[in-house]
Amino acid sequence: MTGFAAAVVEAWQELRIHKLRVLLSLIGVGVAVCSLTAAVAVGTIAQQGLAEQYEKESGRPAMFSVYPYSQTGESLPTATIRAAFAKTMDEFGIGYYSMVGESGMRLTLGGKQRDVSIRIVEPPYADMFRKVLVQGRWLAQQDADNYSPAIVVDARLLKARGLGADSLPASVTLTRDRPVTATIIGQLPKDTYSGGPTIYMLPETYERWFGATQPLSDASYQMWVPPKGSKVLAAAVQDRLRSRIPAAQIDLSRQDYAAYGGDQFREFKYVVGGIGLLILGLGALSLLNIALVTIKQRIREIGIRRSFGATSGRIFFSVMMESIVA
């Protein structure tokens, strides 16, 4: 303990004498640490951003798509398929699932009509595909009983309607065989991957207001399950659906970005890691230069201490203690 206390006292005395040199050393350490932290943080944020962008397109891991179709070419009743799918999800304890259907319609804006894409989904779809609203709210199951169809639109439709922030709910006219006044309850950001404006509505809403003239067909069914053990679970779900709907052929496949295994961001991590190692190396070189200057300034002192029997370990420890105490 006496030797350690003496080294600390000696380091404090050297620190008082060489304040500028030690300050420059600490600034170099601080800059290196801050740069390394910033590089890793930016890399982590960018990786998360890429992952979320992939999940908006193909769903969150593990996302499975179920495609039922008839082997004879006949159309399958959507209501029957959907009921069987929902019952199977409940039996396996899967809470995030949704029917996904596509249709088309005409929308009246400012006295003009334009074609829009209708996507028929269920409430969990927003969490499964990271749909974050700009304003308003997402579809809820109780919206199926509304006297006006509840819809969620993207920013392009609201802009064409001449509406801005905090302008919801608002009304638009949808036309199939007859005009129907729908209520916009939520707005999504502009979807750059779709060819035109997209409207989201519940399956019950579509069947109630538009299903009589154009019944929905060729719908798919999505389910979001934990990645661990997802293959076994998906196979069991497929077998259960086949036994429940014998007239349909059930194809089930994983569709999210992690479906093929491996680390999808491996190259990105290598780049960030390389940048971090480069910053760490530059910081180490800066400390090494400061240490060399310290040794050169204290060479006479070190020689005197060595002549009195100080070991190389004691000399090294005293030099290091100066930076540690600082």
Side-chain angles (χ1 to χ4, degrees):
M1 291 298 297
T2 302
F4 178 77
V8 172
V9 173
E10 179 186 351
W12 174 249
Q13 295 298 330
E14 291 292 334
L15 179 60
R16 294 177 58 191
I17 298 172
H18 305 289
K19 292 187 289 291
L20 179 61
R21 173 171 52 79
V22 175
L23 178 62
L24 292 175
S25 175
L26 294 180
I27 290 176
V29 172
V31 171
V33 171
C34 290
S35 301
L36 180 61
T37 305
V40 174
V42 170
T44 303
I45 293 172
Q47 178 181 333
Q48 180 64 21
L50 287 174
E52 292 185 7
Q53 188 61 46
Y54 292 155
E55 291 171 0
K56 289 178 181 178
E57 300 171 25
S58 59
R60 304 169 76 168
M63 187 71 66
F64 286 86
S65 295
V66 179
Y67 299 96
Y69 64 92
S70 174
Q71 296 179 344
T72 61
E74 300 177 357
S75 60
L76 298 172
T78 304
T80 303
I81 301 293
R82 185 182 171 213
F85 182 73
K87 186 175 182 180
T88 303
M89 295 296 101
D90 293 340
E91 289 177 354
F92 283 93
I94 300 173
Y96 290 94
Y97 62 89
S98 174
M99 166 188 169
V100 180
E102 299 288 342
S103 185
M105 209 168 294
R106 298 190 68 82
L107 176 70
T108 302
L109 288 174
K112 298 181 180 179
Q113 289 191 342
R114 61 186 303 179
D115 293 328
V116 293
S117 175
I118 304 295
R119 186 163 297 170
I120 299 94
V121 297
E122 298 180 67
Y125 181 88
D127 292 326
M128 296 164 62
F129 288 86
R130 286 193 179 273
K131 298 297 181 182
V132 180
L133 275 72
V134 177
Q135 61 171 320
R137 65 175 178 85
W138 182 250
L139 300 167
Q141 195 58 46
Q142 57 266 28
D143 291 326
D145 299 326
N146 293 356
Y147 290 107
S148 173
I151 60 174
V152 174
V153 303
D154 62 20
R156 285 173 290 190
L157 283 179
L158 282 188
K159 184 177 180 181
R161 177 73 164 72
L163 300 176
D166 301 325
S167 57
L168 300 182
S171 298
V172 292
T173 301
L174 299 176
T175 304
R176 173 75 71 182
D177 60 331
R178 58 187 177 88
V180 175
T181 301
T183 302
I184 303 174
I185 62 171
Q187 174 199 350
L188 291 169
K190 179 180 178 181
D191 187 1
T192 57
Y193 295 93
S194 62
T198 303
I199 293 176
Y200 296 84
M201 68 173 59
L202 294 174
E204 293 87 353
T205 301
Y206 182 86
E207 290 296 330
R208 178 180 179 183
W209 296 93
F210 311 103
T213 56
Q214 187 172 347
L216 189 63
S217 60
D218 299 329
S220 64
Y221 300 84
Q222 314 283 345
M223 65 177 188
W224 175 31
V225 298
K228 186 176 181 180
S230 60
K231 290 184 178 180
V232 177
L233 178 58
V237 168
Q238 186 177 24
D239 291 340
R240 185 67 57 84
L241 287 173
R242 285 174 175 172
S243 63
R244 185 159 283 155
I245 318 171
Q249 177 67 30
I250 306 296
D251 285 350
L252 188 148
S253 61
R254 185 172 173 179
Q255 68 171 33
D256 60 86
Y257 69 92
Y260 300 101
D263 190 351
Q264 305 297 320
F265 305 101
R266 181 174 52 191
E267 293 78 7
F268 185 83
K269 291 179 179 178
Y270 286 160
V271 172
V272 175
I275 294 174
L277 289 176
L278 178 61
I279 294 173
L280 193 62
L282 293 176
L285 287 177
S286 176
L287 288 177
L288 180 60
N289 288 334
I290 297 295
L292 290 176
V293 171
T294 301
I295 296 299
K296 189 173 182 180
Q297 288 182 346
R298 300 178 62 180
I299 189 169
R300 182 184 295 274
E301 172 196 342
I302 293 173
I304 294 173
R305 295 180 63 181
R306 290 283 289 178
S307 67
F308 278 90
T311 63
S312 57
R314 176 61 187 270
I315 300 297
F316 176 79
F317 182 73
S318 64
V319 174
M320 288 299 298
M321 280 301 296
E322 180 180 327
S323 297
I324 292 174
V325 170

